[in-house]
Amino acid sequence: MLYLDPPAVPWRGRVWSHLISDVSYAELHAFAEMLGAPRRGFDRDHYDVPAERFRAAVWLGATVVPSREIVRLLRDAGLRRPKHRVSAERGQLPGQVGPGRSLPAGVRLG
């Protein structure tokens, strides 16, 4: 099943929601494609969806849940991928951009 929280996260002049699946990343990517969300909107375990696409996501079948439910649903499904774990899986330290490359001092991701 697909879930979406109400748009509440401001970033770059827009307000964003989080779209997740409690089944698989494949289901999530297929739904995002139907929604017209670009793959670059995928962030570890969810898609960032602008408020302009919120109604379309609901119309396509996403269930609206409070923001605090998003992480719980991902954890319960075994699909949660926190930032620190993703960096370790890639063999990178937090803050590294690629193999052996780090962000400039004072710049942080997320």
Side-chain angles (χ1 to χ4, degrees):
M1 187 166 209
L2 294 142
Y3 298 93
L4 185 71
D5 63 357
V9 179
W11 189 65
R12 293 194 177 198
R14 297 167 100 175
V15 181
W16 300 80
S17 294
H18 302 100
L19 175 68
I20 66 159
S21 167
D22 67 350
V23 174
S24 69
Y25 296 124
E27 178 187 49
L28 179 60
H29 293 309
F31 188 87
E33 189 174 325
M34 285 191 310
L35 183 59
R39 190 65 175 242
R40 70 180 176 272
F42 182 67
D43 185 13
R44 297 180 319 274
D45 53 14
H46 68 276
Y47 272 86
D48 293 318
V49 177
E52 303 85 56
R53 291 199 175 136
F54 181 81
R55 294 179 93 186
V58 173
W59 185 83
L60 286 169
T63 300
V64 179
V65 297
S67 296
R68 68 184 175 276
E69 287 293 300
I70 294 291
V71 172
R72 186 191 65 77
L73 288 163
L74 284 169
R75 275 195 200 124
D76 289 353
L79 296 171
R80 178 72 173 131
R81 295 180 69 203
K83 283 185 183 181
H84 67 277
R85 191 170 132 214
V86 174
S87 294
E89 287 172 359
R90 291 183 184 155
Q92 299 172 335
L93 299 172
Q96 280 189 320
V97 179
R101 296 180 11 219
S102 297
L103 292 170
V107 176
R108 295 176 38 187
L109 295 175

